[in-house]
Amino acid sequence: MATVATNKPLLGQSLLELTTWIEDRGQPKYRGKQLHQWLYQKGAKSLLDITVFPKKWREDFADYPIGRSNLDYFSTAPDRTRKYLLRLDDGLIIETVGIPTASRLTVCVSTQVGCPMACDFCATGKGGFTRNLKRHEIVDQVLTVQEDFQQRVSNVVFMGMGEPLLNINEVVGAVKSINEDVGIGQRSLTISTVGLPGKIRQLAAYKLQATLAVSLHASNQKLREQLIPSAKHYHLNALLDECREYVNSTKRRVSFEYVLLAGVNDLPQHAIELSKHLKGFQSHVNLIPYNPINEVDYQRPDKSRIKAFRDILEQKHVAVSVRYSRGLEADAACGQLRSSKS
Ligand code: SAH
């Protein structure tokens, strides 16, 4: 057998691919379906776990990489949100968050180890970028949370560490696998991006039914450049045009994320300016009150300021909600993810 490193992990592969894989190794076709079921439903961590397979065959392939990561650590916030540190094959650590509500279980997955975007208010960006995640490393995060909660995952948001559209092939592959193999509807998946030239257009070409969320965070170009370094290379108007194109070609509305930073982007004039950009735009604004991180001294606005901002958008007929992040006490909230236990 070839060395482990050159073998493509089984997780993330489709029923058809797994069937071919196992037939190539001397097993009958129906074993493909069994393998698929044990990987995606029964939580097999190694081929040895699959007790319906012949013992001798299992032992021969015991070292073949299934593609599951190792759970290194978890912490639970009082709201039951759970943050996991997962150790990848090469020893690197990523974070995943499981967010339970009365009727749902949402998983927030990472798409990169670290992030190169360096947004000023985000802890992940402070740690720099190491590498892209592979498709199986993304799918594994969903299974890990599902197994831990012993409850089916209902939603997946690509809002953990990293910029998904800088890793578009693996992210689209993961979306397909989470949909077809894990069995979660595409409409229950959300991909969040800071917005990079041409990337939203590229994503639209895949004709996914997943929701696109765009991290706007500012109502004008100057302010956006102050908060998001990459905005210097992409004008707000061009980004919004690309989002409009996305709506036209996919017929799906876009969500805009807007982190509220006291005194920086939360003034009435910002809300008015934002509403002008979004007039008649098939979209929804999610206001995220800032979650504190150590490196910078932004403040979360008080409740009355948040309400005033939301009221202006509503008066201007912009669809808006306020999203208080879950998991704050476990450092599991938006923008707080880094590869540490703190
Ligand atoms: N890179 C992608 C995916 C990260 S999603 C993106 O930028 O969209 C994480 C979301 O949390 C983004 O909207 C991000 O801007 C937001 N965020 C980052 N730091 C935050 C903080 N300290 N408080 C609240 N939200 C934050």
Side-chain angles (χ1 to χ4, degrees):
M1 207 166 69
T3 59
V4 168
T6 60
N7 288 329
K8 185 174 162 196
L10 299 177
L11 199 67
Q13 296 199 41
S14 66
L15 175 58
L16 193 69
E17 289 168 317
L18 291 174
T19 304
T20 307
W21 182 85
I22 207 156
E23 281 188 308
D24 286 348
R25 283 157 187 80
Q27 290 296 316
K29 189 170 175 191
Y30 73 90
R31 295 264 188 232
K33 205 165 176 186
Q34 289 179 325
L35 177 57
H36 188 267
Q37 196 185 28
W38 278 77
L39 277 180
Y40 292 106
Q41 316 293 336
K42 292 181 181 257
K45 301 282 189 298
S46 129
L47 288 171
L48 279 176
D49 292 346
I50 309 183
T51 47
V52 290
F53 287 171
K55 192 150 184 282
K56 167 85 174 63
W57 185 90
R58 276 190 275 153
E59 283 164 5
D60 286 349
F61 290 93
D63 290 339
Y64 196 93
I66 272 199
R68 295 300 307 261
S69 306
N70 292 303
L71 182 55
D72 200 62
Y73 173 84
F74 68 80
S75 59
T76 312
D79 66 8
R80 294 210 304 133
T81 294
R82 195 165 260 203
K83 178 174 89 166
Y84 305 83
L85 295 189
L86 300 176
R87 185 177 298 278
L88 308 174
D89 256 7
D90 54 6
L92 294 171
I93 300 276
I94 53 163
E95 291 201 5
T96 303
V97 184
I99 310 159
T101 59
S103 57
R104 291 177 172 194
L105 175 58
T106 299
V107 182
C108 178
V109 295
S110 294
T111 56
Q112 299 183 312
V113 185
C115 183
M117 304 317 299
C119 299
D120 199 37
F121 46 82
C122 178
T124 307
K126 302 290 174 199
F129 169 72
T130 309
R131 72 163 170 88
N132 279 335
L133 291 187
K134 293 291 199 191
R135 174 201 292 218
H136 67 275
E137 291 168 330
I138 301 173
V139 176
D140 169 77
Q141 298 175 57
V142 179
L143 294 182
T144 296
V145 176
Q146 182 155 288
E147 288 158 11
D148 183 47
F149 276 84
Q150 299 199 338
Q151 181 186 336
R152 279 197 68 76
V153 167
S154 57
N155 299 75
V156 179
V157 294
F158 289 69
M159 296 186 179
M161 299 167 80
E163 169 46 50
L165 298 193
L166 285 178
N167 188 15
I168 200 161
N169 287 341
E170 299 300 309
V171 164
V172 169
V175 164
K176 289 191 174 151
S177 180
I178 291 167
N179 177 220
E180 290 163 20
D181 305 315
V182 183
I184 303 171
Q186 279 201 19
R187 285 175 178 249
S188 304
L189 313 180
T190 301
I191 300 171
S192 181
T193 178
V194 73
L196 298 156
K199 288 286 178 190
I200 292 174
R201 197 169 297 129
Q202 198 185 335
L203 184 70
Y206 288 99
K207 301 270 178 232
L208 301 176
Q209 286 299 300
T211 302
L212 176 70
V214 176
S215 293
L216 216 52
H217 305 326
S219 55
N220 62 61
Q221 176 63 14
K222 189 159 170 269
L223 187 53
R224 198 161 189 271
E225 284 182 18
Q226 213 176 297
L227 301 173
I228 304 174
S230 66
K232 291 186 188 70
H233 311 289
Y234 199 25
H235 199 279
L236 180 61
N237 294 338
L239 168 61
L240 290 171
D241 281 346
E242 206 175 317
C243 292
R244 278 189 199 93
E245 244 182 69
Y246 185 89
V247 172
N248 287 336
S249 75
T250 63
K251 311 291 175 225
R252 304 271 297 144
R253 101 183 158 169
V254 171
S255 294
F256 290 110
E257 319 288 319
Y258 195 103
V259 174
L260 286 170
L261 306 163
V264 177
N265 67 356
D266 71 332
L267 305 176
Q269 73 215 46
H270 297 127
I272 293 167
E273 203 170 29
L274 181 63
S275 74
K276 286 184 183 153
H277 285 298
L278 301 185
K279 195 163 182 270
F281 198 137
Q282 208 185 323
S283 62
H284 188 101
V285 174
N286 288 319
L287 300 175
I288 315 172
Y290 169 69
N291 300 313
I293 64 167
N294 287 335
E295 292 87 343
V296 282
D297 61 359
Y298 290 118
Q299 302 297 322
R300 174 184 279 198
D302 62 38
K303 287 223 160 102
S304 63
R305 291 276 281 268
I306 296 170
K307 183 176 179 310
F309 198 96
R310 189 191 66 197
D311 287 351
I312 293 173
L313 291 180
E314 274 178 350
Q315 279 157 20
K316 303 281 182 191
H317 308 291
V318 173
V320 57
S321 351
V322 179
R323 292 275 162 85
Y324 281 93
S325 305
R326 305 270 309 268
L328 204 58
E329 297 84 350
D331 271 347
C334 299
Q336 295 186 313
L337 302 189
R338 60 177 94 228
S339 306
S340 79
K341 297 178 185 172
S342 65

